[in-house]
Amino acid sequence: DVKVTQSSRYLVKRTGEKVFLECVQDMDHENMFWYRQDPGLGLRLIYFSYDVKMKEKGDIPEGYSVSREKKERFSLILESASTNQTSMYLCASSLERHTAFFGQGTRLTVV
Amino acid sequence: KQEVTQIPAALSVPEGENLVLNCSFTDSAIYNLQWFRQDPGKGLTSLLLIQSSQREQTSGRLNASLDKSSGRSTLYIAASQPGDSATYLCAVRSSKLTFGKGITLSVRP
């Protein structure tokens, strides 16, 4: 079975902190995605990556950056966390044009 | 910009009912469409994927159809059960994977 693992289920950080959310997949997928999910707004794409060292902005990239140094790992970075970044963060991976598989999600609270 | 719509936002049905969940999208230039299930506080579980060249896919009590030219997909759930209660999301794949906001289904015993 495909496994997409996010490093934390719950995270509490302070305003202004630099935050790293890690996502690892074990199926050699080229594509990886980061979303945030908020009530009433659904899933919104932050960044995605087609391959190692490649990244593309999604619909809401402001305040975020990403890193993909190895194929299996896609990191989301909050450069200076703010309270409006409190959300559920979801990572996904897929082969090109195939089924996307999601991690269990990280619920981030910024206080 | 691709937009994906799922209406209604919530649905409550009695156990045993057959039901249809709808999904519409604005740009028909897609590679595929995928239906997911999400339980509260959890990640998404893939249910069915339909490639753009296909018309439907079936898995157990679930059947998903795709009409790419009209920008519509339906997820049919046969003989619904309380365990089917969850949020169902559809997503279309082009260069990105774009989601609808989901339909929260409640199946009453």
Side-chain angles (χ1 to χ4, degrees):
Chain A
D1 276 356
V2 174
K3 196 163 185 184
V4 180
T5 303
Q6 295 184 229
S7 51
S8 305
R9 283 285 281 130
Y10 300 95
L11 212 50
V12 180
K13 296 292 182 180
R14 295 195 179 278
T15 301
E17 276 193 73
K18 190 169 186 176
V19 181
F20 293 85
L21 302 183
E22 306 286 347
C23 177
V24 178
Q25 50 94 3
D26 65 357
M27 284 300 292
D28 204 34
H29 286 172
E30 302 99 352
N31 298 167
M32 296 189 75
F33 307 84
W34 273 108
Y35 292 87
R36 63 178 283 177
Q37 186 177 31
D38 302 286
L41 297 176
L43 274 84
R44 292 179 292 167
L45 182 62
I46 305 171
Y47 269 96
F48 60 108
S49 169
Y50 290 124
D51 207 338
V52 177
K53 296 192 186 294
M54 297 183 70
K55 59 186 178 184
E56 296 282 342
K57 292 181 180 179
D59 299 317
I60 52 162
E62 297 79 17
Y64 303 94
S65 62
V66 290
S67 172
R68 193 158 180 210
E69 296 297 318
K70 293 185 178 182
K71 194 172 188 178
E72 67 269 21
R73 186 181 296 270
F74 192 34
S75 303
L76 180 69
I77 303 157
L78 287 65
E79 297 290 344
S80 177
S82 64
T83 55
N84 63 14
Q85 293 178 310
T86 291
S87 186
M88 171 72 106
Y89 289 87
L90 292 160
C91 172
S93 75
S94 77
L95 290 170
E96 185 67 29
R97 306 182 192 181
H98 284 270
T99 302
F101 295 90
F102 276 78
Q104 77 277 29
T106 296
R107 185 163 294 283
L108 172 67
T109 301
V110 182
V111 298
Chain B
K1 181 185 173 185
Q2 178 75 266
E3 291 185 5
V4 181
T5 302
Q6 294 183 257
I7 295 173
L11 192 59
S12 179
V13 301
E15 182 176 4
E17 192 162 299
N18 300 324
L19 55 102
V20 173
L21 306 181
N22 293 305
C23 172
S24 63
F25 49 95
T26 54
D27 185 350
S28 62
I30 64 169
Y31 299 136
N32 58 53
L33 183 143
Q34 197 167 354
W35 281 94
F36 293 88
R37 169 186 171 135
Q38 186 178 31
D39 293 293
K42 301 287 179 66
L44 278 66
T45 300
S46 178
L47 297 173
L48 289 164
L49 177 132
I50 311 176
Q51 297 291 355
S52 61
S53 58
Q54 297 174 321
R55 297 286 292 187
E56 65 179 75
Q57 284 287 330
T58 298
S59 176
R61 293 183 294 110
L62 305 179
N63 175 277
S65 68
L66 174 64
D67 184 341
K68 200 174 77 156
S69 61
S70 68
R72 294 181 188 276
S73 176
T74 61
L75 179 67
Y76 174 83
I77 302 176
S80 58
Q81 303 169 358
D84 294 330
S85 298
T87 297
Y88 292 81
L89 299 106
C90 71
V92 296
R93 185 73 177 267
S94 49
S95 58
K96 306 175 187 179
L97 184 62
T98 304
F99 282 82
K101 292 183 180 178
I103 298 173
T104 298
L105 173 65
S106 173
V107 181
R108 308 186 300 272

